[in-house]
Amino acid sequence: MSDLIVIAFPTEAKAEEVRQKLLDMQKEYLIELSDAVIAVKDAHGRIKLNQLLHTTAAGAVSGTFWGTLIGLIFLMPLAGAAIGAASGALGGALTDAGINDKWMKEAAAAIAPGTAALFVLVRKFTADKVMEGLRGEGGKIMRTSLDHTKEAALQAALAGVQAAVPQTVP
């Protein structure tokens, strides 16, 4: 089961820096991400999503390849490439992988103009190492599906303080 975490940051650059740290941690197998999207609210209140995967472009490239291949069979590679690119781009535009775009825009409406929110869908992670990697990055948790103790530990790590761990007395 995946966990959803939404963190607000004062700037888009800071949100991008944290997303890049998470992607670097993924390369080290400390975290497994399903999606990581930055939502930016401009001065006019419009929200722009910076996705990791652009499904429209990926669909167009794939459609061009398959269209060209099929076009070669019928001796019309250029027509096949054009039709394939158009249909692939349309299919990619209609595909929404990861976190729902409409929901992200609704959730990002709560951030102040000129700020950003990082939406992360996490499949699994090594908690202590990820928390250490995010220590002192700043940001405020807006929403999460984590339990209360993990959420508090994450917020403490972002703030740069050691989370209070309950001590058991024998």
Side-chain angles (χ1 to χ4, degrees):
M1 186 170 147
S2 297
D3 288 310
L4 176 68
I5 302 167
V6 183
I7 307 169
F9 288 99
T11 64
E12 180 180 5
K14 186 62 180 178
E16 183 61 50
E17 179 185 326
V18 173
R19 177 168 71 173
Q20 193 56 51
K21 270 193 171 187
L22 291 171
L23 292 172
D24 291 343
M25 286 183 216
Q26 183 169 268
K27 290 176 187 172
E28 298 172 15
Y29 301 100
L30 299 175
I31 189 168
E32 189 177 327
L33 302 173
S34 294
D35 202 3
V37 179
I38 296 173
V40 182
K41 189 173 189 179
D42 67 14
H44 302 292
R46 290 186 301 258
I47 297 168
K48 180 182 78 167
L49 300 177
N50 296 335
Q51 307 265 1
L52 277 178
L53 176 65
H54 298 286
T55 55
T56 303
V61 170
S62 175
T64 301
F65 171 76
W66 288 108
T68 302
L69 189 61
I70 292 169
L72 282 172
I73 294 170
F74 294 107
L75 302 173
M76 297 173 44
L78 293 178
I83 293 169
S87 61
L90 179 62
L94 297 175
T95 302
D96 186 16
I99 307 168
N100 183 287
D101 291 356
K102 183 178 179 204
W103 182 84
M104 282 190 288
K105 287 184 178 186
E106 289 171 0
I111 62 175
T115 62
L118 175 61
F119 293 78
V120 183
L121 192 57
V122 181
R123 281 191 214 124
K124 57 185 175 181
F125 64 102
T126 307
D128 58 338
K129 292 183 180 183
V130 172
M131 298 289 184
E132 185 60 38
L134 294 177
R135 186 163 312 284
E137 288 296 330
K140 181 179 182 319
I141 296 177
M142 294 174 55
R143 294 184 187 185
T144 180
S145 63
L146 298 172
D147 63 42
H148 294 297
T149 56
K150 287 180 183 174
E151 182 178 342
L154 177 59
Q155 186 61 62
L158 289 169
V161 298
Q162 185 65 35
V165 179
Q167 299 290 328
T168 56
V169 180

